[in-house]
Amino acid sequence: MSMNHKRVLIVGGVAGGASCAARLRRLDEKAEIVVFEKGPYPSFANCGLPYYVGDAILDEAKLLVATPNLFRTRFNIEVRTEHEVVGIHREEGKIEVKDLRRGSVYQEAYDALVLSPGAVPVRPPLPGIDLAGVFTLRTIPDSRAIREWIQGSDAKRAVIVGGGFIGLEMAENLTRRGLNVTIAEMLDQVMPPLDHEMAEYVYMHLQDNHVSIHLGDAIARFEGTDGRVTSVLTQSRARLQADLAILSVGVKPETKLAKDAELEIGPRGGIRVDESMRTSDPSIWAVGDAVEVMDAVTGEFCLVPLAGPANRQARIAADAICGRTARFRGVQATAVCGVFGLTVAMTGVSEKRLLQAKNTDYESIYLHPTDHASYYPGAKVMHLKLMFRRSDGLVLGAQAVGEQGVERRIDVISFAIQKGSTVFDLEEAELCYAPQFGMAKDPVNLAGMVAANVVRGDVSLAKWSDLPDCGAFLLDVREEEESRRGSIDGAINIPLDQLRQRLGELPRNRPIWVSCAGGHRSYYAVRILQQHGFDASNLSGGYNTWEVWYPEGLPSGETGESGEHPSRSRAA
Ligand code: FAD
């Protein structure tokens, strides 16, 4: 590699590719940098596409973050759009490029090559998938095609296959366009990265916003007439009417070039890179959705197709190419999604992943604080779940759902996880506060306090999953009036303020599982009971958590298996 005039070629000109190119230029004014992008635009805002479909973004040009002209004039970077890299000749240090406008093929030599080819939407080989009106969403032309289809076909009903991030964003945006939307999801919950009960808040919110949801049933085929989609048939033979179908069942890393060039591919199907984003070839780096990276919490390789990691990895690859020491510290899947005014955010591991990994050294707690002081107008409840290591309180993951202030709390916890913090650190975290913004005990502090009580042994937790066959005495310490409005099946109400006088009504030969509305009063009650010699545990999050764990009540006559949620009945 000539140290003075490095020639760096970059495959893919959007999130990772564009970011890497710009960083390279800042570090090396002399390098020759050429970006190859097979699509018509470099550096466009993929994340904004659902909102363009939904008319929240009206001007398509706003999706173009930087043009080839800007790359040339400001960064002295050449961007060749509609140029597809079709091969890598590693031994010669060359790539083969196809000019898609002219059809010609040519070669270019590199000192360093960066692959940022992204991912491709999964298209299961189902009958009818090629019918007109069945779309995926990845590029500006995809979003334009969906817009034109809605206008041109007077579409009224849309089926979204897959209830993850893009599926939910599309549900909101197509509803905004006036379509009747059904989400069809193979799993028994929407938003698969969330734990089942946290996804229940999202489910209810979607229903409140008139989205039909069909769970636990995979798609069998797309049906149509005259080559156009008219319905989607599920494996249970439900027929969902559709003038338009959006496939949002995930993405897979774009690895064709890397595979053809015999670069190492990891077990998750992504390009294998080291900490400086270098592939198995020392002259080739790879970043973004195409690579697999280390999960910083579990230590396992994983695929996290998100823009934040792609941009950070791109900077690290640029640093490494320029001889700097740079290390990507892994991902923890910190993500956020907005749907009909609800914010859904998460970081680190979910409880279901802990269960899958047969990890037994953890606890999870729930709380339902307001985003800011409840006396100040406009406060909204958020639902927060925290996972931590039982033995030492290390923070492992968090999920939150609510209308305000959700992403801020998850960001704080995300950073805590990155720094290896414990629940005691969350308890002590100094966060900004004024009544309109937060609480003197911020939700993050509260989560730390609740969890720290568990780690210190001040309170023991009862498991919601064990409720159906727990054999415990269920004590509800809310006020009578609250309890009359709805209560946990089988719970006996003794308001907290009467508890000391009514201890004689409680059994001493059975565990007592205590609940209230959100977990606060029940904590007081558990402390009282424990000090009076009772075997008492807290049902974390109280009635508010019960409503999402058992939305249809306890399974009658049967008992749930430990750790599993009762599935929602399928409905569309
Ligand atoms: P991309 O940004 O996809 O860029 C890859 C580019 O490489 C493509 O333009 C492709 O045409 C080009 N390419 C591929 N092969 C070749 C080749 N052989 N030759 C030349 N060019 C090639 N992430 C978030 O964090 N938050 C969000 O809210 C969010 N919303 C999203 C919404 C949508 C609809 C989509 C599709 C994605 C969203 N993402 C979001 C994900 C995020 O956009 C990606 O993680 C990120 O763009 C990945 O960057 P990348 O550089 O790896 O791939």
Side-chain angles (χ1 to χ4, degrees), residues 17-228:
S19 183
C20 185
R23 172 83 175 156
L24 276 166
R25 173 56 73 229
R26 289 194 293 276
L27 297 181
D28 186 346
E29 185 58 19
K30 291 188 182 138
E32 186 183 349
I33 305 166
V34 187
V35 177
F36 299 87
E37 168 54 55
K38 71 177 176 186
Y41 310 104
S43 196
F44 66 89
N46 346 35
C47 308
L49 297 178
Y51 304 93
Y52 177 50
V53 172
D55 271 352
I57 298 169
L58 289 168
D59 181 3
E60 191 183 290
K62 293 257 191 267
L63 296 169
L64 304 175
V65 181
T67 60
N69 191 36
L70 183 87
F71 274 103
R72 190 168 44 249
T73 51
R74 185 165 303 166
F75 300 111
N76 186 24
I77 291 169
E78 187 186 345
V79 177
R80 297 187 197 163
T81 53
E82 295 181 82
H83 280 67
E84 180 175 3
V85 178
V86 290
I88 306 171
H89 304 297
R90 287 167 48 197
E91 55 301 335
E92 298 164 46
K94 286 185 178 160
I95 57 169
E96 195 158 302
V97 185
K98 184 167 187 191
D99 178 339
L100 298 177
R101 269 167 278 184
R102 295 194 178 83
S104 55
V105 175
Y106 60 96
Q107 294 195 342
E108 290 284 358
Y110 60 82
D111 295 312
L113 177 66
V114 180
L115 305 178
S116 188
V120 279
V122 172
R123 282 179 72 87
L126 295 172
I129 193 152
D130 294 323
L131 285 167
V134 179
F135 296 95
T136 55
L137 180 61
R138 182 84 199 172
T139 62
I140 290 181
D142 291 342
S143 57
R144 202 183 289 149
I146 298 170
R147 285 173 64 93
E148 284 166 4
W149 182 266
I150 294 171
Q151 277 146 15
S153 69
D154 195 24
K156 299 261 182 304
R157 298 156 305 181
V159 171
I160 295 173
V161 184
F165 291 87
I166 294 177
L168 295 192
E169 289 177 355
M170 286 305 290
E172 175 182 347
N173 281 290
L174 292 177
T175 303
R176 187 183 287 143
R177 293 290 303 255
L179 278 85
N180 289 319
V181 175
T182 300
I183 295 177
E185 167 59 58
M186 185 174 79
L187 302 177
D188 64 355
Q189 67 169 83
V190 291
M191 197 48 118
L194 284 182
D195 285 324
H196 191 290
E197 74 283 9
M198 297 301 285
E200 191 65 21
Y201 295 112
V202 187
Y203 177 93
M204 293 187 290
H205 192 69
L206 286 165
Q207 285 203 318
D208 289 346
N209 284 279
H210 314 293
V211 174
S212 304
I213 308 161
H214 193 85
L215 294 177
D217 195 8
I219 297 305
R221 60 170 61 236
F222 296 89
E223 299 174 318
T225 45
D226 302 331
R228 297 162 72 95

